[in-house]
Amino acid sequence: MPDPDRTEVELTAGDAVLAVDLRGGTLRRLAVGAWEVLDGYPAGEVLPGWRGATLVPWPNRLRHGRWSWQGTELQLDVRSPEEPHAIHGLVTWQPWRVLAEADGSVTVGTTVEPQPGYPFRLAVVVQHTLAAGGLTSTLRVRNAGDRPAPFGAGFHPYLSVGAVDDGGIGEAELALPARTELVLDGGLPTGERRPFDGAVGRIGDRALDTPLTDLERDADGWWHVRLRGSAGELTVSADAAWPWLQVYTGDTLPAGQRRRSLAVEPMTCPPNALADGVDLQVLEPGAEWAGTWSLAWTPAA
């Protein structure tokens, strides 16, 4: 029988502690001393709001769960009658297993098996490396099937910089590296893009649930998001494998979770990419894709 006792794996580095939930390969908790850097969820609970989720084989929404590939019409399960779209991939609720462990590092993995709406087989692996000043996560996806496989990927961490009450994220300062926004209606693309000013500053009452692209990068090809609040400053960075970024202020979350943290989501593609084909990855049998992102912290003095 499967081992029912090991439901997560924990890493420590200095005063930093990371917990990875093996139900979904989720970043359940990251704390630095008394600072809960990730707005996560208690051990043993079902994650609310996709907190810390790994998003494969697509991030965000797919309109009505419908798409086609090489002339075949496909239908994925949708979230609910009230929101009839497929959302955030297929691996969040399935078991992951530990593949390797070392000091400050753990590698976890799972397999996406062919199923209705997604007739492809993918091996999915994430390596998390924790240091005293930051977390680095590398996602690898390999086509384990015998036909070309389209996919997208993303991560869904909620960043906390000191707010504990609803609305508290409004006090934080935000800088984004984006120059272009994808316009959404009901969480899905309208087909319009418009210029975006990433110098947000104090968030205030601004509501964001926004896919961003045309990202400003440093000489190494990485983009950087900076969020500062009473607890300290966080920097989310990602390499060239992530041409999209979504930022969400949590306005539609239930009371007690609303606008207290900020979701900063590295993505390989925008919402509805399986149907629209925008920046969709396609892997030949046996081929592999990899992308790395990181989170660094500086506690307040």
Side-chain angles (χ1 to χ4, degrees):
M1 297 292 290
D3 181 358
D5 297 322
R6 191 172 198 189
T7 59
E8 67 180 35
V9 60
E10 186 173 285
L11 297 178
T12 60
D15 62 350
V17 179
L18 173 72
V20 179
D21 195 338
L22 296 178
R23 301 163 307 158
T26 304
L27 293 172
R28 186 186 68 77
R29 181 177 184 243
L30 174 59
V32 179
W35 179 12
E36 295 289 335
V37 170
L38 293 184
D39 189 2
Y41 58 99
E45 292 194 3
V46 176
L47 79 164
W50 306 92
R51 296 178 182 275
T54 303
L55 315 177
V56 178
W58 75 89
N60 221 288
R61 288 164 178 78
L62 175 66
R63 193 187 316 271
H64 304 310
R66 298 175 189 153
W67 64 299
S68 64
W69 182 250
Q70 297 181 339
T72 300
E73 298 296 320
L74 298 166
Q75 176 67 61
L76 287 154
D77 289 340
V78 299
R79 185 176 186 185
S80 68
E82 294 75 27
E83 189 177 350
H85 311 298
I87 185 167
H88 288 331
L90 299 170
V91 301
T92 305
W93 311 113
Q94 70 181 43
W96 291 55
R97 62 190 182 93
V98 176
L99 303 178
E101 289 182 87
D103 289 343
S105 178
V106 65
T107 302
V108 296
T110 192
T111 302
V112 177
E113 297 291 355
Q115 56 197 275
Y118 195 79
F120 310 97
R121 191 168 194 259
L122 303 177
V124 183
V125 173
V126 184
Q127 180 181 30
H128 298 295
T129 301
L130 184 67
L135 169 69
T136 300
S137 299
T138 297
L139 172 67
R140 302 200 313 274
V141 179
R142 180 170 56 85
N143 183 351
D146 58 4
R147 57 188 295 195
F151 81 97
F155 287 89
H156 207 297
Y158 284 78
L159 309 183
S160 175
V161 286
V164 294
D165 298 321
D166 285 8
I169 197 62
E171 299 300 317
E173 300 280 334
L174 176 64
L176 298 166
R179 293 173 290 213
T180 300
E181 169 189 353
L182 181 67
V183 179
L184 303 181
D185 181 15
L188 289 158
T190 65
E192 178 187 357
R193 298 189 185 196
R194 61 190 176 204
F196 182 86
D197 182 0
V200 175
R202 183 178 177 274
I203 294 173
D205 59 2
R206 184 169 181 172
L208 295 167
D209 192 4
T210 310
L212 302 168
T213 192
D214 191 16
L215 304 176
E216 298 173 353
R217 299 178 181 273
D218 62 21
D220 294 326
W222 288 59
W223 54 255
H224 307 278
V225 172
R226 292 179 172 84
L227 180 69
R228 185 172 68 250
S230 60
E233 181 170 326
L234 297 176
T235 301
V236 176
S237 304
D239 68 12
W242 310 94
W244 288 85
L245 160 69
Q246 184 134 346
V247 182
Y248 173 49
T249 45
D251 299 77
T252 59
L253 294 174
Q257 304 173 30
R258 191 174 300 148
R259 292 184 63 85
R260 72 182 185 197
S261 55
L262 183 75
V264 176
E265 308 163 40
M267 303 189 303
T268 63
C269 58
N272 212 49
L274 284 179
D276 296 340
V278 177
D279 288 335
L280 196 62
Q281 300 287 326
V282 180
L283 288 178
E284 295 297 322
E288 187 173 297
W289 172 95
T292 298
W293 71 282
S294 66
L295 174 61
W297 47 82
T298 303

